[in-house]
Amino acid sequence: MRSSEVAAAAGVNLQTLRYYERRGLLDEPDRTLGGHRLYPAEAVTTLRVIKAAQRLGFTLAEISELLDTARHRHARGGGAGLQTRAREKLADVEAKLADLTVIAQTLRAGIAAGCDNLDTCAGNPDCPLPFSEIAQ
């Protein structure tokens, strides 16, 4: 498949396709005599996997490691597999959710308290917003 066909099928643009190739996320494709890239059909699946993993919060570096592990099944172990990485990512997401829950509760308390002026709220020890703690 040509670059434009692969990009269209995977829902990415050509720059993304070439960037992933430079990053090593995609194997370097064969080329025609005229120099045009020819990707195997599996490249579309790989691109879709990369985009799905990004939506789950994995970085391109993490995705690269996961793809390398999948490509070199003999290199399993060492904590690089999807199960281990998914557990780590889930722990990160849960920690962020806990932080966001505290932020949401604090903002609700500030709204309920009628805080409408940063200077006034920051100077009020009864203000539910943690301005005085943050300022220190």
Side-chain angles (χ1 to χ4, degrees):
M1 297 177 74
R2 290 189 171 230
S3 299
S4 59
E5 295 169 321
V6 171
V12 302
N13 61 47
L14 286 173
Q15 291 80 13
T16 300
L17 177 66
R18 296 220 172 92
Y19 179 69
Y20 290 169
E21 185 183 326
R22 284 192 308 274
R23 291 275 314 247
L25 295 165
L26 286 173
D27 292 330
E28 190 173 324
D30 293 331
R31 293 196 182 250
T32 66
L33 293 176
H36 296 284
R37 292 173 169 86
L38 288 178
Y39 292 89
E42 297 82 34
V44 174
T45 302
T46 301
L47 287 167
R48 289 178 179 161
V49 166
I50 292 167
K51 298 311 286 181
Q54 283 183 307
R55 284 190 298 276
L56 292 172
F58 288 97
T59 66
L60 287 180
E62 291 167 332
I63 295 167
S64 178
E65 290 174 15
L66 289 169
L67 290 172
D68 285 345
T69 299
R71 288 178 185 137
H72 305 101
R73 293 185 189 269
H74 65 277
R76 279 192 164 168
L82 180 58
Q83 284 289 314
T84 300
R85 292 302 179 108
R87 283 188 192 97
E88 292 169 354
K89 189 59 64 181
L90 179 59
D92 290 345
V93 167
E94 288 173 341
K96 288 176 185 175
L97 284 173
D99 289 343
L100 289 171
T101 299
V102 170
I103 291 168
Q105 291 168 342
T106 304
L107 290 170
R108 283 188 196 101
I111 292 167
C115 296
D116 63 355
N117 182 304
L118 286 176
D119 290 332
T120 304
C121 287
N124 181 352
D126 295 326
C127 178
L129 300 176
F131 293 120
S132 58
E133 296 170 20
I134 294 170
Q136 294 175 0

